[in-house]
Amino acid sequence: MPLHVVEHPLLQDTLARLRDASTPSDEFRALARRASVLLAAEATRDLPTAEGAVHTPLEATRARRLAARVVAVPVLRAGLGLLEGFLDLVPSAQVGYFGLERNEETAVARCYYEKVPRDLGDAVVFLLDPMLATGGSAAMALEGLRARGARRVRFLAVVAAPEGVARLAEAAPDAEVFTAALDRQLNDRKYILPGLGDFGDRLYGT
Ligand code: PRP
Ligand code: URA
């Protein structure tokens, strides 16, 4: 499974601030949006374009416009932190939602909501979830996308753990992962180390 660790200096600076335990929620939300823009720029790099005519104020010329159906699917709740940044870059994207929640004791995800287009065969789908920990949530979301015909899926995560990457490589070898960091390991509560804590809680101040 292709794993892209995006080393852009602005993304790494943003990640450092997201990791910082003293960053308050309002700043955390703005940083999440910025991280999403930078990850999305990398993950959309090879989308197809089609050339057509355009009139500048001075003359007619040719220009390339995006020629792909893009669907963004944030995983509630933390994935919402990446949605606005993604839409800043791809305002024409359709949006679907998965609501997934890890059990606090077992860290096993359960699905409590889904509203995703059913015909994803011709789309490039961007799954947005900032934390790839055990990979259980991502594997569940990818299974849901596959059931709706998705063939091209890119997963945008702010931080990934080796355990989650390994699980996804097995469950969805054709998906591509874009992340700002591949961290060291999970702790015994399945949180990423060094990580940045609970992304959803930090995003929403809960
Ligand atoms: C977090 C995160 C991922 C999941 C990752 O969500 O946003 O969805 O955990 O963990 P995994 O790889 O072990 O499945 P959480 O379940 O805490 O829900 P929340 O976004 O509503 O806070
Ligand atoms: N979910 C989070 O928000 N953080 C982790 O470290 C793991 C799962």
Side-chain angles (χ1 to χ4, degrees), residues 6 16 19 34 68-69 74 90 112 126-127 143 150 155 158 167 174 200 206:
V6 181
R19 286 197 198 276
R34 188 184 307 161
R69 178 181 171 216
V90 194
Y112 59 86
F126 293 81
L127 188 61
E143 196 181 305
F155 184 92
V158 175
R167 175 133 179 215
D174 45 353
T206 50

Side-chain angles (χ1 to χ4, degrees), residues 47-50 65-71 90 92-93 122-124 126 152:
L47 289 182
T49 53
R65 295 180 196 274
L66 186 64
R69 178 181 171 216
V70 173
V71 177
V90 194
S92 61
D122 65 348
V124 187
F126 293 81
R152 281 167 295 172

Side-chain angles (χ1 to χ4, degrees), residues 14-15 17-35 78 81 130-131 158 196-205:
T14 302
L15 174 62
R17 294 160 191 249
L18 286 166
R19 286 197 198 276
D20 189 336
S22 69
T23 299
S25 285
D26 54 349
E27 193 182 336
F28 193 92
R29 277 195 290 276
L31 290 164
R33 185 173 182 147
R34 188 184 307 161
M131 305 305 277
V158 175
L196 49 75
D198 188 304
F199 200 98
D201 282 351
R202 296 196 61 197
L203 191 66
Y204 294 117

